[in-house]
Amino acid sequence: MAFFFARPARDAARSMPYNGAFFRFLPLMPDAHALLQTVFGYPAFRGEQAEIVAHVGGGGNALVLMPTGGGKSLCYQIPALLRAGVAIVVSPLIALMQDQVATLSELGVAAACLNSATAPDEARDITRQARAGTLDLLYVAPERLLTPRFLDFLNDLNIALFAIDEAHCVSHWGHDFRPEYQQLGILAERFPTVPRIALTATADEQTRADILHYLRLAEARVFLSSFDRPNLFYQVVEKHNAKKQLLSFIQQDYPGASGIVYCLSRKRVEDTAQWLVENGIRALPYHAGLGHEVRDRHQREFLREDGVVMVATVAFGMGIDKPDVRFVAHIDLPKSPENFYQESGRAGRDGLPAASWLCYGLNDMVQLTQMIEGSEMAALQKQVELSKLDAMLAFCETAACRRQHILAHFSEQSAPCGHCDNCLAPPITFDATLPVQKLLSCIYRVEQRFAASHVIDVLLGRANQSVTAFGHDKLSTFSIGRELNQRGWRSIIRQLVAKKLLQVDIARGQSLVFGDGCRAILKGEQKIYLRPPADDKKSRSANTDRWLRTEREERLWQMLRRWRKSMADEHNVPAYAVFSDKTLRELVEKRPANRAEIGRVYGLGELKLARYGDALLDILNEASQSDD
Ligand code: ADP
Ligand code: ZN
């Protein structure tokens, strides 16, 4: 083994680091559990991982539906190590492949990727090693895999398995449709005896059916995990000044942490990123209008550095495997619960507490409705999009558990979670019948032809130009709503829209018009209960598990982070490929003093232990000396 560890560490960063994998040197044929511990440094499989690994390792086909951060990669990586031959992993994005290869290389697993960025001599080297049987995993883009040349090359190989990552790309229904994915069924024909495993975090029925159909996995075993993300804290806040609210959220709850901020438009991305930078936050913009080069640079920086906040449109995200993203903030309403779930799910893949923070207002709803109505979509598609938007609004306005609500959207039953914003501070609903009656009669008096802001002006008795121009200062409802302020009325209107008692007529200047059920309330036949407008000052901190470090812990933490950064730079890999935050945290908390103790720390497999164990013990030692 000596020669193996003596190799310059920098080699590890290259796509083809070793002449064979580390575990080949283990004395016995390792079982799955031993691989998990020795190679990955994890004590136990999570959820259905063990069963999936056994099934695929034994030659079975599988479809794996698991939420982001659930640990899909291990489901094919361990079978790849268990089975003879090279595993071919189909992956849609270069960045995603490079990331996986970097992480695997750091673990001593022989992994490589072939894509348009691979230099020809490097590609030759990789194919040679695949033929020689010294490669464990080979990542490749679908368009390359499907070329006759590559399929011929595969014929010469001993193939352990095929893994098709981000398998929802086969479906028109999915958000990342890729036509080439639909042709991957050819693998079933060409390599009928090689097991195939498709993986995705998209759960809906239609996408699932498409995957099984196009990838010819009808006979495959389906592993459907719970889509719950227990470490995510869900919080929705009412928008009044989104940028300011965002800034104080970051400053209070996640100073110095990595995060993603999603915005609806490019302009808003630019503005928000600039605002954060001006306020001392390391933020970078990302949207499709930026040049390739800039986007790549920002993405790289976000992945590699600690504590960068990426402000982005939805163009950013697929395949972002960064495990230590501490928060995902939406400062505009996502257009569907599916989008929201995918995007917010990019937080906390490492299992440590993380937050989904959503800031929304009625205007978001109006703007998105306008975008859908004004688009080129077919009428039926518009209907679908509008109903998804309604579902999103319902999530925002619910007074019940957020988690329960979102899981129910994915047909999963669950009990209230006890740690979302609504569970922690249950909104107390109040009998809003009287104010709602006032609002509805005011809407009726203005003949359902005016937008929310005008109606509120009338209720509050503001005789401004527009109100007087239409003679609305003479209405019986003028000034009858002074018991609430602007925000209070907006909150009521939003809730009524969410309940479909009101509609916003986009085509007619966003007028508020009656939905079903208004008359019963107006006539006093039906009571209505609503939640009061949220009080910002009372809102819970999203960061429910702030890890409070003592001064000496903080010093050690910073030392370890600096050291990790220097290792990452030296190996040319992201910091988290060296060690996750969770590992550093355990090092700080447990302060292992010797080899035996440090070997039990999370994420320290045998290679990392051999490579970094002494350096870490030195740092720990140094830290405790300076404590004295
Ligand atoms: P997914 O692809 O499903 O989003 P990943 O495969 O990237 O998730 O895994 C998310 C994180 O969880 C990674 O940092 C991974 O190393 C870690 N992980 C996966 N399985 C386990 C496990 N059994 N024990 C501990 N950590 C795990
Ligand atoms: Zn809850």
Side-chain angles (χ1 to χ4, degrees), residues 400-404 415-424:
C401 172
R402 306 264 181 217
R403 190 181 316 274
Q404 197 177 27
C417 74
H419 61 107
C420 65
D421 57 353
N422 283 348
C423 282
L424 287 173

Side-chain angles (χ1 to χ4, degrees), residues 42 44-46 49 67-74 321 323 349 602:
Y42 298 143
F45 282 113
R46 283 205 301 232
Q49 278 177 335
T68 310
K72 284 185 284 301
S73 319
L74 284 187
D321 262 353
R349 292 168 91 107
Y602 174 94

Side-chain angles (χ1 to χ4, degrees), residues 180-200:
E180 320 83 55
Y181 259 72
Q182 294 195 339
Q183 293 164 43
L184 291 172
I186 193 174
L187 296 175
E189 247 164 60
R190 285 239 186 175
F191 306 94
T193 57
V194 179
R196 289 170 301 126
I197 169 172
L199 309 102
T200 179

Side-chain angles (χ1 to χ4, degrees), residues 441-462:
S441 41
C442 192
I443 292 170
Y444 181 77
R445 298 274 170 225
V446 301
E447 297 169 348
Q448 308 186 50
R449 284 171 49 207
F450 289 82
S453 54
H454 185 96
V455 173
I456 293 174
D457 283 344
V458 176
L459 283 167
L460 293 178
R462 292 177 176 157

